[in-house]
Each structure stands twice: as structure tokens, then as C-alpha cells.
């Protein structure tokens, strides 16, 4: 399957990159297809967290994340 962008790894870095690519394309009035390849059984399966969150990066990437029903809020 052809994609414009393929990102290996569905951790925070890979998912942020995928979201940012889609945002930049939308802002430019175009569309890109993005594929995230994750070796875990599902996205998030290999992410380790002690639930300590600095939300600054999330605020920059998705300013409305608190209003969208995100389970972190
Ligand atoms: C025990 C522990 C607790 C932590 N607690 C916190 C916390 O409370 N707060 C915090 O902010 N940070 C915490 N961290 C740090 C946090 O987990 C990392 O900073 C963050 O996950 C890094 O994101 P990343 O996307 O760079 O890498 P990763 O999260 O490691 O994501 C990489 C992804 O790529 C996938 N992958 C790797 N190779 C391939 C391949 N060849 N093909 C396909 N997929 C592949 C992996 O399965 C993984 O899902 C903790 C880390 C550990 C180890």
C-alpha cells in the first residue's frame, strides 16, 4: 500500500509526528496519507508511564485536547 509518509513506532514521538504531518498538510490546503507502523499488539501497548504528565507539548500539538473528552483530563 503506498503512503506519502511512513512512521515507524507508535509511541508519543511517532504519534506526534503523524498528527503534526496531518496538521501541516491541512494548513497548507493539501492532504497527506500517513501510516504509523507499531510492533506492539496495538498503539500504546509498549508505552511505559508512571502517569506523570507535563502537558506543555500536548497543549502545543492539540490545544483543545481538554475539551475533546480525552481520558487524561
Ligand atoms: C518505567 C517507565 C516509566 C515512565 N514514566 C513516565 C512518566 O510518568 N511520564 C513521562 O512523561 N514519561 C515517562 N516515561 C518515559 C516515556 O515512556 C518516554 O519518554 C516515551 O515513551 C518516549 O516516547 P517515544 O515515542 O520516543 O518512544 P517509545 O514510547 O519507546 O515508542 C517507540 C515505539 O516504537 C515501537 N517500535 C520500536 N521498534 C519498532 C519497529 N522496528 N517496528 C515497529 N514499531 C517499533 C515500540 O513498540 C514503541 O511503541 C517512562 C519510561 C519508563 C521506562
Amino acid at each position: 500500500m503506498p503512503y506519502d509518509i511512513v512512521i515507524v513506532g507508535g509511541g508519543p514521538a511517532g504519534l506526534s509526528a503523524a498528527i503534526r504531518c496531518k496538521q501541516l498538510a491541512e494548513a497548507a490546503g493539501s492532504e497527506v496519507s500517513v501510516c504509523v507502523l507499531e510492533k506492539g499488539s496495538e498503539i500504546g501497548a509498549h508505552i511505559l508511564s508512571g502517569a506523570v504528565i507535563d502537558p506543555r507539548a500536548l497543549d502545543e500539538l492539540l490545544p483543545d485536547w481538554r475539551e475533546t473528552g480525552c481520558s487524561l483530563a
Side-chain angles (χ1 to χ4, degrees):
M1 296 171 70
Y3 289 94
D4 298 313
I5 300 168
V6 175
I7 294 168
V8 179
L15 293 176
S16 299
I19 291 169
R20 193 67 188 130
C21 287
K22 298 290 276 187
Q23 288 175 334
L24 289 172
E26 191 179 332
S30 64
E31 197 175 319
V32 289
S33 57
V34 181
C35 175
V36 177
L37 295 174
E38 169 53 49
K39 71 180 167 70
S41 58
E42 58 185 353
I43 292 289
H46 285 184
I47 295 176
L48 290 166
S49 175
V52 177
I53 296 166
D54 181 343
R56 273 180 297 182
L58 205 47
D59 286 338
E60 281 185 34
L61 186 66
L62 300 167
D64 64 343
W65 69 269
R66 288 180 177 82
E67 291 82 51
T68 57
C70 175
S71 58
L72 283 175

